[in-house]
Amino acid sequence: LDKNTSHLMRLIDQLMEFRKLQNNKQKLNLQPTDAVVFLREIFNSFSNVASKTNIDYQFRPSPASIPIYLDKNKVDKIVFNMLSNAFKFTPRGGKISLIAEIDNNSQMLRIAVYDNGMGIPKEKQSLLFSRFMQINFSANGTGVGLSLVNEFTNLHKGKVEFKENEGGGSVFIVELPLNKDVIRKTMIMERHKRIAPLFSDEF
């Protein structure tokens, strides 16, 4: 019952986030964050599931500390959905890895979730991040979660990507700017184009 209630509450929360996006009311509340510490907390929330399903579950950060400005509430939803989908489509005894690393060339934090699950048919891949699109490549579908991943990554002026895992399975990759000035400068340009501001007053 608790599991079903938690699932329902998270779905309701995601639908509320979509409503805000539709009404152009989403704002970023950026906070200085150690991405490794933050991501490890999300990673650990799936440890029991991994243990029960005998999944080889790993978190591999490099370096050991990655300072960044994030909207922690939104990035929590990004990573939670990436991991949730990996567990949903990876069989017992499979493998899931959460990678966090710095791309020095682009100055981006790269968050990647690798799994060796059922993968995604090629004809469905272009629809993965579509708003409200239900990707019925299994009985469960991916729901609205991956669309939120895309929307919240865009709010951070980042990039999201899917690719096939070598040997089978999926890789979902999110890249977020390490420097909040990148987000600020892009926002200023958008304001000049008369797009509604997306930052909270705390920024």
Side-chain angles (χ1 to χ4, degrees):
L1 180 60
D2 288 342
K3 181 179 179 181
N4 290 336
T5 301
S6 176
H7 178 78
L8 179 60
M9 292 302 295
R10 183 169 287 275
L11 179 59
I12 291 172
D13 182 48
Q14 290 185 356
L15 292 173
M16 290 176 65
E17 297 287 359
F18 267 116
R19 188 67 175 265
K20 292 178 184 177
L21 285 165
Q22 281 187 309
N23 296 330
N24 204 25
K25 291 184 177 180
Q26 281 287 0
K27 297 181 179 180
L28 285 180
N29 179 19
L30 297 177
Q31 302 173 9
T33 306
D34 184 334
V36 174
V37 174
F38 178 63
L39 292 172
R40 190 178 298 279
E41 292 177 358
I42 306 171
F43 172 85
N44 287 340
S45 68
F46 287 87
S47 294
N48 287 340
V49 179
S51 179
K52 290 178 181 178
T53 54
N54 195 31
I55 285 178
D56 180 3
Y57 184 42
Q58 299 180 13
F59 177 41
R60 302 206 298 271
S62 179
S65 177
I66 304 176
I68 191 173
Y69 279 81
L70 298 173
D71 185 319
K72 297 172 75 171
N73 180 268
K74 291 178 175 57
V75 176
D76 174 84
K77 289 181 173 64
I78 289 173
V79 180
F80 184 94
N81 275 295
M82 292 166 70
L83 286 172
S84 179
N85 276 298
F87 275 94
K88 187 181 298 183
F89 302 118
T90 300
R92 296 182 65 89
K95 183 174 182 179
I96 297 173
S97 299
L98 173 63
I99 311 297
E101 58 191 3
I102 293 175
D103 186 324
N104 289 313
N105 293 327
S106 63
Q107 282 299 293
M108 303 279 271
L109 165 63
R110 186 174 185 269
I111 303 169
V113 173
Y114 289 74
D115 71 62
N116 67 346
M118 63 180 292
I120 298 174
K122 290 186 183 297
E123 65 272 15
K124 303 288 187 181
Q125 294 175 9
S126 63
L127 302 174
L128 276 174
F129 303 108
S130 301
R131 186 178 287 193
F132 294 118
M133 181 65 68
Q134 185 80 7
I135 310 300
N136 293 314
F137 56 88
S138 81
N140 294 323
T142 63
V144 299
L146 288 178
S147 182
L148 269 187
V149 169
N150 185 46
E151 300 279 4
F152 287 165
T153 300
N154 288 338
L155 279 178
H156 281 83
K157 310 308 170 192
K159 298 183 295 184
V160 61
E161 176 187 2
F162 165 84
K163 65 180 184 179
E164 296 178 342
N165 196 3
E166 294 183 10
S170 302
V171 184
F172 286 92
I173 302 166
V174 165
E175 294 186 346
L176 305 172
L178 289 169
N179 189 340
K180 71 175 181 180
D181 289 339
V182 173
I183 306 176
R184 186 193 296 271
K185 289 176 182 177
T186 306
M187 194 66 245
I188 290 173
M189 292 174 63
E190 290 180 352
R191 283 174 179 165
H192 285 310
K193 296 178 182 178
R194 298 183 180 179
I195 296 179
L198 299 174
F199 290 132
S200 68
D201 292 335
E202 288 85 355
F203 176 65

